[in-house]
Amino acid sequence: MTLDENLDSAIKRIEKARLEVDAHHIVKIVAISKYSKSEDIRELYSAGHRAFGENRVQDLNTKSQDLEDIPIEWHFVGVLQKNKINQLLKLRPSLIHSIDSLELALELDKRCERGVDALLQVNSAKEETKSGVDPLSAKEIYESIQEQCKNINLKGIMTIGAHSSDQKEIKKSFEVSRKIYESLPNASILSMGMSGDFELAIKCGSNMVRLGSTLFMRN
Ligand SMILES: *Cc1c(COP(=O)(O)O)cnc(C)c1O
């Protein structure tokens, strides 16, 4: 498979899933390039894709320099350490998916003067290995960030589905996120769904999927 074919096949599957929700339910793809080289990103860009995401500030820095001749829309999806905030902001990410505490938001708010779009990450599956806020306090934290962090434009919620082979468990975690998303009057982005579970995520209301392996694998 070429990356071009991978993209076509993902688009077809997304199309089918989103039409089951509603003809007007539009889903955006963010290609997660964390295990891929700059040349592969360039290849997917040539196939027409524009939004890419990385989970390490250092990798985002390197790859965005390699690719500075093309207008990529960069997303940041990884754990953000406080000592990396300045470096990340310099790279002007289009969306930070992974605000995982009010404390991090306050720190980010202090350092960004231009304003930045971001999502609150919710640990909807309540897994210790995952970051994100507890679903029970998500709405309250979301509103505190909106009140206290004038330089952060919160756009919605990001979730990683339950790490399980049981579809019901994964679905449950997506539905928890969807309920929180729907309780937030001005939220417009519900980022959930990865290579293994994006169709289910879309059926549960996701409008932004983060696809790594299914786009970048070559076999
Ligand atoms: C790696 C990663 C993805 C993509 O994972 P795949 O299973 O390869 O599609 C999506 N979201 C986050 C936060 C990631 O770290």
Side-chain angles (χ1 to χ4, degrees), residues 44-140:
L44 212 50
Y45 176 88
S46 301
H49 195 71
R50 294 294 177 267
F52 292 85
E54 288 286 332
N55 72 337
R56 286 166 189 260
V57 175
Q58 188 52 52
D59 294 343
L60 178 56
N61 189 25
T62 308
K63 291 176 192 176
S64 63
Q65 272 175 31
D66 285 350
L67 299 162
E68 66 187 356
D69 58 312
I70 51 177
I72 287 179
E73 173 190 315
W74 287 108
H75 293 236
F76 185 76
V77 301
V79 174
L80 179 55
Q81 272 140 11
K82 291 200 187 101
N83 61 358
K84 298 283 168 63
I85 290 176
N86 287 340
Q87 200 187 355
L88 177 61
L89 288 172
K90 256 190 236 153
L91 300 169
R92 317 244 2 227
S94 136
L95 184 65
I96 299 173
H97 291 230
S98 41
I99 303 290
D100 59 6
S101 66
L102 175 59
E103 202 191 346
L104 176 66
L106 288 166
E107 206 59 43
L108 184 64
D109 183 61
K110 248 196 279 179
R111 295 168 194 211
C112 73
E113 287 143 18
R114 289 200 187 102
V116 67
D117 288 355
L119 305 176
L120 179 67
Q121 182 172 353
V122 181
N123 187 357
S124 296
K126 294 205 180 206
E127 287 167 5
E128 275 180 27
T129 52
K130 283 193 178 115
S131 46
V133 302
D134 186 289
L136 290 174
S137 44
K139 188 172 159 69
E140 192 189 323

Side-chain angles (χ1 to χ4, degrees), residues 9-21:
S9 138
I11 289 171
K12 281 195 191 110
R13 288 171 62 188
I14 288 169
E15 196 59 13
K16 191 158 174 280
R18 75 163 193 94
L19 288 172
E20 281 179 40
V21 179

